[in-house]
Amino acid sequence: MRLRLPLLLALASVAVAEIGAQTAPLARRFQPMPVRSGTFDNPTAIDVVVFQKLVTVPDAPWIRLAMDEVRLPGGSYLEIVSVQDGHRQQLTQEGFAAWQNTSAYFNGDALLLRLVAAPGAEGVSVGMTQVEVGVDAPPPPSICGSSDDRIFATDRRVCRVVSIGCTGWLINRENCLISAGHCCGGGFSTAQFNVPRSSSSGSLRHPGPEDQYPVISSSIQRVNGGIGNDWCVFQTRANTQTGLHAGRAQNSWFPVTARKPAIGATIRITGFGTASGARNQAQTTHTGPLRSRGGTTLCYSTDTTGGNSGSPVIDEASGRAVGVHSHAGCSSSGGCNRGTSASRQQFIRAFGPCTPRDNDRLPPESALLWTSGEGCPGSTGHAPELLGLGALGDSLHVQLDRAPSSGAAWLMVGRRADAVGTAALPLDLGALGMPGCTLRLAPDAWLPAQTNVDGAAAVSLDLPGTPTLVGERLLVQWLVHDPAANAAGLTLSDVGHTRVQ
């Protein structure tokens, strides 16, 4: 019994975390499809089509190849063409590796395969035993109130993630995205942008291979901790057709803010929830009021269904993402759906791999807060850590972590990183009794704060709404009271950089 109880408790906690989670895995099956090309050499100086095959699954809404043999030396490739809409994909050996020996998703029930041997290539071959096939079986929706008020949307920043059936969204101009933590497990494999509407019967339609991006599984950082702590940060590979990352191809991404909207503010949810007909797991959107914002949980009366997990929670007034949607809570009699606020510290910290540590490379259009340098260790055994989401038009939100509990701290804000008075920056403060501490900005303002029992604090600074501040770079650094740390009783964090939007 002593051995079983911890296991039961662990299983119970997992079950609680999943209640209300809004995934919508693709309705699919695997169809036997034995295809062997045979082995070919190409002694010529030109590309040669050495094998072609029409793969058909009658009445299938979509097909995806699953290869078990791929030998494509010297730039040889397999070309896959959808008979229905002409979408095509060319995959080399490296391309198949990026796609983990699968293809993109293709619409229709027939694919033409062409195996092309490169000049001088030897031992060219491909093979498979089965294909992945779509099935028409959308689950019923659950929404706020008596009617589903979502409408079609075409937000280029928002993607469908399959085969798990979730939503993701871009946060930078390269390949960094956010979804819900409970989404980023098995089946979280492909991000699809510019998704077409589904058929009138609800059968899913897929975009062309140029709009599909394999997820880098090793990049995933996530917490599946239930309502208010359910988030995932991940990256995708460059597209194998265009060579572009998703952010570059879409040329659009969400600014993110940790500042919570006021109760009653209009919240927009855009994503790929299930529905009837052409809206089924196509991109739809709806707005509704924010009902509550306790802790790091946001609660809003905005229509969502399975497949909306991972959608951006958007403050309609500013157009900024304030969190990530994760759980249902609405019914025909009302209620509210829920997500995790972007103010959650661990969530903010996970943005690190998506941002450069060198402020000289800070994209001028970015409102995220980049950090550089190192803080100096205090009595906790760690250096105070600066976290935050930067200057977002109307506010600067910066957090402090790993400081002594229930103590004083000050956020220094400035614009100069070259000199403070007559002293050059960065400035070593060892001579002032702070060994290892480096001042990295010239303070224009000191904002007081008090750490909580966990050694965390936060400051939100309202910024003047003047055009002169737009594009202005700001620097921030925490000064922490830590009597046991050194002779001065003070430590410093790393420094943050941001630009006002």
Side-chain angles (χ1 to χ4, degrees):
M1 181 64 68
R2 286 196 301 269
L3 293 176
R4 292 176 181 175
L5 181 57
L7 177 60
L8 290 174
L9 291 175
L11 291 174
S13 67
V14 171
V16 169
E18 293 297 330
I19 291 174
Q22 289 200 292
T23 61
L26 292 185
R28 57 178 178 158
R29 61 185 173 86
F30 288 91
Q31 166 103 5
M33 186 65 64
V35 174
R36 299 291 161 186
S37 67
T39 302
F40 299 90
D41 300 334
N42 179 13
T44 74
I46 61 173
D47 286 345
V48 175
V49 177
V50 294
F51 172 81
Q52 59 183 6
K53 172 77 172 179
L54 183 67
V55 172
T56 61
V57 181
D59 300 320
W62 56 266
I63 301 175
R64 189 189 199 195
L65 303 185
M67 314 300 293
D68 58 16
E69 177 186 348
V70 177
R71 296 189 184 94
L72 299 171
S76 302
Y77 62 90
L78 181 68
E79 182 179 56
I80 309 158
V81 183
S82 166
V83 173
Q84 176 173 296
D85 54 27
H87 286 163
R88 66 185 59 221
Q89 183 179 32
Q90 291 183 356
L91 289 171
T92 62
Q93 190 79 40
E94 294 77 15
F96 269 113
W99 280 93
Q100 299 182 350
N101 277 14
T102 63
S103 72
Y105 294 81
F106 287 90
N107 298 317
D109 61 2
L111 300 180
L112 177 62
L113 311 186
R114 293 192 185 100
L115 180 60
V116 179
E122 297 180 350
V124 178
S125 66
V126 294
M128 64 181 180
T129 58
Q130 63 182 5
V131 292
E132 186 179 345
V133 182
V135 176
D136 294 337
S142 60
I143 56 173
C144 306
S146 58
S147 63
D148 183 350
D149 299 315
R150 292 172 298 169
I151 61 174
F152 285 114
T154 56
D155 194 324
R156 294 177 61 85
R157 301 168 292 183
V158 184
C159 64
R160 184 171 68 190
V161 187
V162 291
S163 61
I164 185 65
C166 281
T167 300
W169 40 287
L170 283 161
I171 59 169
N172 72 2
R173 61 178 173 181
E174 294 296 335
N175 63 334
C176 194
L177 301 95
I178 285 175
S179 188
H182 66 262
C183 291
C184 297
F188 193 80
S189 62
T190 306
Q192 300 181 327
F193 288 86
N194 304 314
V195 175
R197 298 180 182 185
S198 297
S199 71
S200 58
S201 65
S203 297
L204 269 60
R205 293 291 181 259
H206 298 280
E210 68 278 3
D211 282 320
Q212 301 187 44
Y213 299 80
V215 172
I216 303 173
S217 58
S218 61
S219 74
I220 294 173
Q221 297 184 76
R222 69 162 181 159
V223 171
N224 179 14
I227 297 169
N229 189 22
D230 191 326
W231 53 267
C232 171
V233 178
F234 69 100
Q235 293 174 289
T236 53
R237 299 188 187 279
N239 184 270
T240 52
Q241 303 307 110
T242 66
L244 296 176
H245 281 303
R248 294 281 183 180
Q250 304 311 313
N251 196 31
S252 186
W253 50 90
F254 281 97
V256 186
T257 179
R259 192 173 191 181
K260 302 172 188 176
I263 301 299
T266 299
I267 296 297
R268 179 176 294 278
I269 303 293
T270 300
F272 293 88
T274 56
S276 59
R279 290 185 303 164
N280 183 45
Q281 287 183 265
Q283 190 183 123
T284 57
T285 190
H286 182 238
T287 60
L290 182 68
R291 297 298 188 189
S292 66
R293 53 176 195 172
T296 56
T297 298
L298 300 172
C299 200
Y300 32 84
S301 295
T302 309
D303 287 345
T304 64
T305 55
N308 270 120
S309 276
S311 296
V313 180
I314 307 165
D315 174 20
E316 183 75 352
S318 66
R320 299 183 176 101
V322 296
V324 56
H325 171 73
S326 60
H327 287 77
C330 276
S331 68
S332 59
S333 59
C336 58
N337 295 312
R338 295 158 290 181
T340 299
S341 168
S343 65
R344 190 167 191 94
Q345 290 189 17
Q346 190 179 5
F347 187 14
I348 294 171
R349 192 180 297 116
F351 282 61
C354 301
T355 61
R357 295 288 295 179
D358 176 3
N359 65 295
D360 291 334
R361 292 168 51 211
L362 179 65
E365 72 279 8
S366 175
L368 294 177
L369 188 140
W370 293 179
T371 59
S372 65
E374 299 292 338
C376 46
S379 61
T380 65
H382 302 282
E385 186 175 358
L386 185 148
L387 305 168
L389 288 178
L392 296 163
D394 55 357
S395 68
L396 173 69
H397 185 88
V398 185
Q399 295 181 239
L400 170 67
D401 196 17
R402 293 187 166 184
S405 63
S406 306
W410 298 265
L411 181 68
M412 300 180 290
V413 183
R415 301 187 191 186
R416 296 186 59 182
D418 57 345
V420 53
T422 60
L425 292 172
L427 179 62
D428 185 346
L429 300 184
L432 300 179
M434 301 170 62
C437 298
T438 303
L439 180 67
R440 301 181 184 276
L441 59 81
D444 295 322
W446 301 69
L447 307 178
Q450 186 78 14
T451 61
N452 60 21
V453 293
D454 296 319
V459 164
S460 288
L461 170 66
D462 288 335
L463 299 172
T466 58
T468 56
L469 274 181
V470 175
E472 187 75 29
R473 187 177 76 169
L474 295 178
L475 298 99
V476 288
Q477 188 174 18
W478 284 102
L479 176 67
V480 178
H481 185 225
D482 190 347
N486 51 42
L490 296 168
T491 59
L492 287 169
S493 72
D494 46 351
V495 68
H497 314 259
T498 189
R499 293 184 190 273
V500 180
Q501 283 194 338

